[in-house]
Amino acid sequence: MGSRSLENRSMVDEIKCSQGGTFLYDFGHPLLNRVADSFIKAAGIGALQSVSREAYFTVAGSLDSDNGPRPELPGARKRHVPGLKGETNKESLEAMVKSVGQESIQWGLAAGVYSGLTYGLKEARGAHDWNSAIAGAVTGVAVALASDDSSHERIVQSAITGAAVSAAANIFAGIF
């Protein structure tokens, strides 16, 4: 039997599968498959990033309480999850789950919008030239609008940053 069962597939096989165009789920259209695949992968990365960040600050906070006050870092947030040090463990857990959920939704939304736009623009225009920069700019705007500080300057800055990072990634993908 040449094909392996779903239970025996490794994470590397899953990544190869999704990059090759074969997805674990089929919504009937390649655009929907790409958006969902990107959303799920990025949401998982966002959740891991949020949990690891909070674990670091929890450990660093407990070490600093033994040695006195920690020196302040410029621009750093003191506590990423305001309710993490709640009155009870239940409140702390609820704050952590809420934070991880918000972070994973933001990462997944950004990846899904970007992936859907690059694929949709490529299919609509028939070319893959500046599609990634356009998708990066629109994704930057979406991320800025979803953030707490959605000022005009923040939206423009996020659009320019998204376009620049996306264009750079596209250029480097051709080099390496």
Side-chain angles (χ1 to χ4, degrees):
M1 187 169 194
S3 65
R4 297 195 290 173
S5 69
L6 186 59
E7 294 84 26
N8 294 333
R9 294 174 72 172
S10 69
M11 183 176 235
V12 174
D13 292 335
E14 298 297 326
I15 292 170
K16 286 180 185 175
C17 222
S18 67
Q19 290 177 351
T22 316
F23 301 100
L24 292 176
Y25 36 84
D26 185 15
F27 291 114
H29 194 277
L31 174 65
L32 295 176
N33 292 343
R34 285 183 188 274
V35 169
D37 190 56
S38 297
F39 181 90
I40 290 170
K41 287 178 183 176
I45 291 169
L48 288 173
Q49 188 265 349
S50 179
V51 168
S52 63
R53 181 185 60 225
E54 293 307 322
Y56 167 76
F57 282 117
T58 301
V59 170
S62 68
L63 292 176
D64 289 339
S65 64
D66 297 338
N67 298 333
R70 176 174 49 160
E72 293 296 320
L73 298 174
R77 291 188 262 175
K78 292 181 183 177
R79 174 86 2 225
H80 291 278
V81 181
L84 192 59
K85 294 204 176 208
E87 296 293 323
T88 65
N89 288 339
K90 182 179 178 185
E91 290 175 2
S92 296
L93 181 63
E94 287 173 356
M96 176 68 123
V97 168
K98 183 178 178 184
S99 170
V100 169
Q102 286 176 340
E103 187 100 15
S104 61
I105 292 292
Q106 284 179 330
W107 281 61
L109 178 65
V113 167
Y114 177 78
S115 178
L117 283 172
T118 54
Y119 179 79
L121 287 170
K122 180 181 176 186
E123 291 297 313
R125 294 182 62 231
H128 184 68
D129 45 11
W130 289 100
N131 297 344
S132 60
I134 295 167
V138 172
T139 302
V141 169
V143 169
L145 290 173
S147 71
D148 295 335
D149 176 28
S150 59
S151 66
H152 173 45
E153 292 175 0
R154 170 77 180 208
I155 293 170
V156 171
Q157 180 185 12
S158 295
I160 292 170
T161 303
V165 168
S166 181
N170 197 24
I171 289 169
F172 288 134
I175 294 173
F176 298 109

